[in-house]
Amino acid sequence: MTLLKLNRDRLTPSLEEPLVEVSLEDWRDNPQIHADATALIIGNDAPLSDIKCDLNGFGVIILNFPGFKDGRAYTQARLLRERYKYTGEIRARGEILRDQLLFMVRCGVNAFEFASEDVAGANGALRELSFAYQPAADNAAPVWRRRLARAAAA
């Protein structure tokens, strides 16, 4: 398993740092016991609407992607970035395919536990689409906004 981290629009291999992981359910049950936790694991079926803890107290939030057909963790990543203003590392864990990397980054994921050793291929996946059509957590300017700005400048 290769840990890839996003740094200036490029994925780079990173050394696996030791984390003290705790699941969201265990954290909710007794946060005092897990006060030393540095990573929060959120299952893709966990509702984020009732999170009461300060998420920025965790350096890493790990989202589970159990299968490529299940997109709930994409929504969780966007909610963490946009609604809960989480600024730390959001790490994707599970079945992660090369074709999903760009969309995960657009949703706010910035680290990946990637099964493939092909870092160049992973970086190529981030450059396959040159324009974004919707606003997202990555703050890339959508093509329609670029067109409006160009028209206004003319």
Side-chain angles (χ1 to χ4, degrees), residues 20-75:
V20 178
E21 298 179 1
V22 63
S23 71
L24 179 60
E25 295 79 19
D26 290 342
W27 176 258
R28 281 184 182 145
D29 290 345
N30 197 338
Q32 290 79 21
I33 290 178
H34 303 289
D36 61 339
T38 57
L40 181 65
I41 302 170
I42 301 177
N44 69 335
D45 58 346
L48 298 182
S49 58
D50 57 344
I51 290 181
K52 304 271 191 284
C53 64
D54 178 21
L55 295 174
N56 284 309
F58 293 100
V60 178
I61 293 181
I62 300 170
L63 299 179
N64 286 315
F65 288 81
F68 74 94
K69 292 190 234 177
D70 192 337
R72 292 178 285 182
Y74 289 93
T75 303

Side-chain angles (χ1 to χ4, degrees), residues 11 35 43 71 83 112-113 128-129 134:
L11 292 171
R83 183 177 297 167
F112 306 87
E113 293 179 4
E128 285 182 347
L129 299 177
Q134 304 89 7

